[in-house]
Amino acid sequence: MSILVHRATRILVQGLTGRQAQSDTEAAIRYGARVVAGVTPGRGGETVCGVPVFDTVRAAQEAHPADASVIYVPPLAARDAALEAIAAGVPLVMVTAEGVPEHDILRMIAAARRAGVRLLGCNTNGVISPGQSRLGGIGGPDPDEIYDAGRIGVCSRSGGMSAEIALTLRRAGLGISTCVSMGGDAVTGTTMAEIACMFEDDPGTDALVLFGEPGTSAEQEVAALVRRGRLRKPIVALIAGAFQERYPRGQAFGHAAAMIAGDADTASAKQALLSAAGVRVAATLDDIPALLAGARAPARD
Amino acid sequence: MIRLLEHRAKAWLRAAGFAVPQGAPAATPAEAARLAAGFASGAVVKALVPAGRRGKAGAVRLVAGADEAAAAAAALIGTEVAGFPVLSVYVEERIGIASEAYLAFVLAGGRLRALASREGGIEIEEAIVSGRGSLAEIEIDPLDGLRPWDAVELWRRAGLAGAKLRDTGALTARLFAAFVRADALMLEVNPLVLEAAGGPMLVGAMAAIDEAALPRHPEWREAAEEAEAWSSGNARERRVAEISRTVPGGECRYVELDGDIGLLVGGGGAGLYQHDRLVALGARPANHCVTPPTGADSRKLKAVIGAILDNPRTRGLLVGFNFAQMARADIRVRSLVEVLDERGMASPDFPIVVRMFGAGEAEARALVAGRPGITYLERGATLDDGVRLVAEQVAARQGPQQGGAA
């Protein structure tokens, strides 16, 4: 099993006629993803990557209903593209664009919530369930070089670090049920805590690896769920960015979201909070496999 | 986030149809005198810096006429307020204040909020900072906006009633719509004067706008340039910021630190991770950076590389990127080689460690083959391998006499 994307997931690509969308989609189809349609206004009737293109999401949904839409449009067009997918009733919408204005992000999230739609991103390179399917460019031209199938769930605030974690697990002979790049923005449609709960409820996942950063309350929310007993599977967390605490506050060193606002959202504070809740905190990538091995067996089943 | 100076915030609000005091910036005492002479009710002279709480800092002066305005301007220009040099002052008409209130809109942490108090002025700022303030607050649904009846409810909770409640509520709903249209992230009106002739007036106004939205707001372009001039960075940092803003295709960022290992790192997360690991080894990065996606104009990446190499403290370079999933390695390495060649840099004494795998890797390796000082790690090497090697190589090339000098 896996979360969010599976072998059968039918995928729509908004902005399919763009360069990045095409190269990602070609690779996704080679990997086994079921891409059923694309949308670009004014390009309806064309075929791109062997997939029919429609002018609107609604027209695409009527012809080839999709379970998920992956949106490849520039940051200032992302809001309307996401609202269009939500209005057309696509149950899962993923926005890849980085640099979407904050008012736009809030509107997308609010609209998704009202409609009961799962929004991923913005600023994500995707979700991959190794050996089954993927949304977005995660894994690149050949995901098999990076992601092995298995029973570890991965959620990362950094798309690039998803790959490093996957390679680290591979070296240890471990595979992944699903790897979710949740997006590097300060506010994302789906939170780390929500993704952790999906993994908790997924019978195909035995343990979780989380990659966190300074800024936001993402990791604190996970710690609270562990304390409350909502998350019972073993969790290993790697939180980067402690070096920032050597410098004045308000300095953004990485993702916009990695800006430290208060004492609670530094990397060290997050490490301490997670650790106190029973999460195993890794100092390096190489520590992750040993911490997973040493973690207690799953409490469920 | 770009903080607007007061004259820009007020010009925006005036153009959007709100009542604000008349005023204009002045760069000299003579100009300040001329402006103040036009205000029969007296004038206020304020240091024009991108910071709030100026009243408390003594940077707001009430003056009676042209001579006093010139004296106030002379006293403020050239000083420093909240860490910013005062280059000019804002001179505006003095408003007779019968009762002052406070209103703010804030977008932060994924929440849109409106805050209001029937008490405005310096005291409310102090109270908010220290957490003692009693502010009425409502959360705003981004799809609904702040509807007129929401705004009335906000001010009712803040203690207003009667015609004041009606007028202030209506103004607040209109102001919120303008806030959203402008892609503002913060707007603080203090004081909001409720009994000015002709209805409520926005006497004090501070605002900040969303940098990400700049492409759809040509009206903020000058403000963005101005904000950059205020940034405290050195020439190399400012140059990268300028390229980031003016050249299309994703953001690049460069911050200098006090160490000696240059970092050309990719991905927000991998950059943080490698920096942490270097510090854990006792090594000290000379900078941090954020590199743009390879689809961006190559001037962006080259600006970052140039800044790193031009930093006189840099004694070696780590080029550490995640296993490429979307980017091509050769695009980045080509930019690196071009910038090295522009500077005629090819020395075994300037170690460069490259950890970059994925598409275009063979071409990337060919580009650096045989160049002195460059180690392109074997495929399969980890981020930590790159960190360890660059730390070792830079330490090994440091003479013992320079050991702790960095």
Side-chain angles (χ1 to χ4, degrees):
Chain A
M1 274 296 287
S2 53
I3 66 167
L4 295 166
V5 61
H6 317 284
R7 190 167 282 113
T9 303
R10 296 163 59 90
I11 301 165
L12 170 73
V13 178
Q14 287 174 256
L16 176 60
T17 53
R19 196 171 50 90
Q20 185 74 54
Q22 285 186 46
S23 70
D24 281 2
T25 302
E26 271 166 23
I29 291 170
R30 273 202 309 275
Y31 191 60
R34 286 185 69 188
V35 179
V36 297
V39 170
T40 300
R43 304 284 294 270
E46 294 183 20
T47 299
V48 172
C49 301
V51 168
V53 178
F54 297 83
D55 289 313
T56 64
V57 176
R58 176 175 293 182
Q61 282 294 86
E62 279 166 8
H64 303 282
D67 307 305
S69 180
V70 181
I71 299 181
Y72 288 96
V73 302
L76 296 191
R79 177 193 64 198
D80 289 346
L83 295 179
E84 183 186 359
I86 292 164
V90 183
L92 190 160
V93 175
M94 189 181 103
V95 182
T96 60
E98 177 173 7
V100 177
E102 295 205 36
H103 280 280
D104 292 4
I105 293 173
L106 256 56
R107 287 189 60 183
M108 286 182 212
I109 292 175
R113 200 165 288 156
R114 242 183 226 189
V117 166
R118 166 72 57 206
L119 178 69
L120 285 170
C122 310
N123 189 11
T124 166
N125 71 341
V127 180
I128 187 167
S129 296
Q132 297 191 54
S133 185
R134 76 173 191 189
L135 304 174
I138 190 168
D142 183 10
D144 290 333
E145 272 192 299
I146 304 172
Y147 296 94
D148 286 334
R151 302 185 59 83
I152 309 292
V154 178
C155 175
S156 172
R157 283 175 61 185
S158 156
M161 288 304 281
S162 300
E164 300 300 332
I165 290 166
L167 290 167
T168 304
L169 293 176
R170 155 177 287 188
R171 278 193 292 274
L174 294 167
I176 289 171
S177 54
T178 300
C179 177
V180 184
S181 276
M182 60 176 277
D185 282 354
V187 182
T188 51
T190 300
T191 65
M192 184 182 275
E194 289 171 319
I195 292 162
C197 289
M198 289 181 219
F199 279 129
E200 178 71 30
D201 300 337
D202 171 34
T205 299
D206 290 340
L208 280 66
V209 176
L210 307 177
F211 177 78
E213 298 178 358
T216 83
S217 56
E219 298 80 0
Q220 296 88 309
E221 290 161 17
V222 170
L225 291 179
V226 174
R227 278 199 308 274
R228 289 213 327 257
R230 173 65 178 91
L231 298 176
R232 304 173 63 87
K233 291 180 181 176
I235 302 178
V236 174
L238 176 61
I239 313 292
F243 80 89
Q244 288 190 20
E245 296 153 39
R246 295 152 48 100
Y247 301 102
R249 209 168 267 184
Q251 178 89 268
F253 284 98
H255 290 130
M259 181 129 55
I260 297 171
D263 291 329
D265 61 359
T266 63
S268 306
K270 291 180 181 205
Q271 287 163 353
L273 197 61
L274 287 165
S275 187
V279 171
R280 288 159 178 261
V281 176
T284 71
L285 284 163
D286 290 339
D287 292 344
I288 293 173
L291 290 174
L292 279 171
R296 63 188 157 73
R300 296 166 79 256
D301 295 341
Chain B
M1 187 159 98
I2 296 171
R3 252 192 134 122
L4 299 182
L5 288 175
E6 184 172 6
H7 68 291
R8 293 196 185 280
K10 290 202 166 147
W12 157 51
L13 293 168
R14 197 179 290 123
F18 296 95
V20 296
Q22 296 180 60
T28 63
E31 237 177 299
R34 189 182 53 77
L35 288 166
F39 302 134
S41 58
V44 187
V45 177
K46 310 182 210 184
L48 210 42
V49 291
R53 329 279 176 238
R54 286 174 300 169
K56 194 75 186 167
V60 176
R61 310 277 174 93
L62 301 179
V63 298
D67 292 346
E68 282 187 39
L76 289 170
I77 293 171
T79 61
E80 209 171 77
V81 171
F84 297 100
V86 180
L87 305 175
S88 57
V89 292
Y90 188 65
V91 183
E92 74 178 3
E93 63 172 323
R94 200 147 125 196
I95 301 298
I97 294 176
S99 75
E100 46 182 27
Y102 173 95
L103 172 65
F105 302 132
V106 183
L107 191 174
R111 298 168 65 207
L112 256 176
R113 289 174 304 151
L115 307 155
S117 164
R118 59 188 295 187
E119 314 283 339
I122 295 178
E123 293 69 29
I124 187 80
E125 295 182 354
E126 288 299 296
I128 294 166
V129 168
S130 64
R132 287 181 288 103
S134 60
L135 285 171
E137 173 179 341
I138 57 171
E139 185 147 358
I140 301 163
D141 184 306
L143 296 175
D144 294 336
L146 184 71
R147 298 164 296 193
W149 53 93
D150 298 325
V152 168
E153 172 60 19
L154 172 71
W155 284 108
R156 192 193 60 76
R157 281 191 222 162
L160 291 193
K164 261 194 212 172
L165 174 60
R166 179 198 63 203
D167 293 350
T168 312
L171 168 95
T172 300
R174 279 199 302 127
L175 192 58
F176 182 78
F179 173 83
V180 174
R181 270 198 307 277
D183 275 298
L185 299 177
M186 185 274 287
L187 171 63
E188 187 179 68
V189 180
N190 184 27
L192 168 63
V193 173
L194 301 179
E195 287 163 338
M201 186 183 237
L202 317 182
V203 173
M206 297 274 310
I209 53 170
D210 187 351
E211 243 171 314
L214 277 180
R216 67 183 173 207
H217 291 288
E219 72 274 23
W220 297 134
R221 200 169 293 147
E222 271 181 55
E225 284 163 19
E226 199 171 63
E228 209 168 279
W230 286 106
S231 78
S232 53
N234 66 27
R236 291 178 291 276
E237 292 169 320
R238 284 205 302 273
R239 169 92 184 118
V240 173
E242 188 195 332
I243 296 269
S244 181
R245 183 172 53 75
T246 55
V247 173
E251 192 190 17
C252 58
R253 234 181 298 154
Y254 171 79
V255 186
E256 254 168 49
L257 305 168
D258 59 2
D260 54 6
I261 299 180
L263 288 187
L264 182 66
V265 289
L272 297 179
Y273 180 74
Q274 292 173 98
H275 199 137
D276 273 349
R277 300 314 306 150
L278 277 169
V279 170
L281 293 177
R284 305 180 66 186
N287 67 280
H288 199 83
C289 72
V290 172
T291 49
T294 45
D297 189 307
S298 66
R299 280 177 288 170
K300 289 197 140 157
L301 183 61
K302 287 171 77 173
V304 175
I305 298 169
I308 295 171
L309 297 179
D310 291 344
N311 175 1
R313 278 194 294 265
T314 307
R315 300 170 56 82
L317 176 64
L318 173 62
V319 183
F321 283 79
N322 286 124
F323 195 102
Q325 299 176 90
M326 325 205 23
R328 285 186 64 87
D330 52 334
I331 293 179
R332 291 199 171 106
V333 171
R334 183 164 294 117
S335 289
L336 171 66
V337 167
E338 283 172 14
V339 179
L340 285 169
D341 287 348
E342 278 166 19
R343 283 158 179 72
M345 286 179 71
S347 163
D349 294 327
F350 188 86
I352 298 176
V353 174
V354 182
R355 193 274 187 186
M356 205 181 326
F357 311 127
E361 186 183 326
E363 294 90 329
R365 288 183 183 278
L367 281 168
V368 300
R371 294 182 76 100
I374 300 188
T375 309
Y376 203 131
L377 292 177
E378 277 177 36
R379 196 177 179 110
T382 63
L383 289 172
D384 288 85
D385 291 334
V387 163
R388 274 190 293 267
L389 187 63
V390 78
E392 276 168 30
Q393 290 191 348
V394 169
R397 280 164 179 78
Q398 251 171 358
Q401 73 279 11
Q402 292 167 311

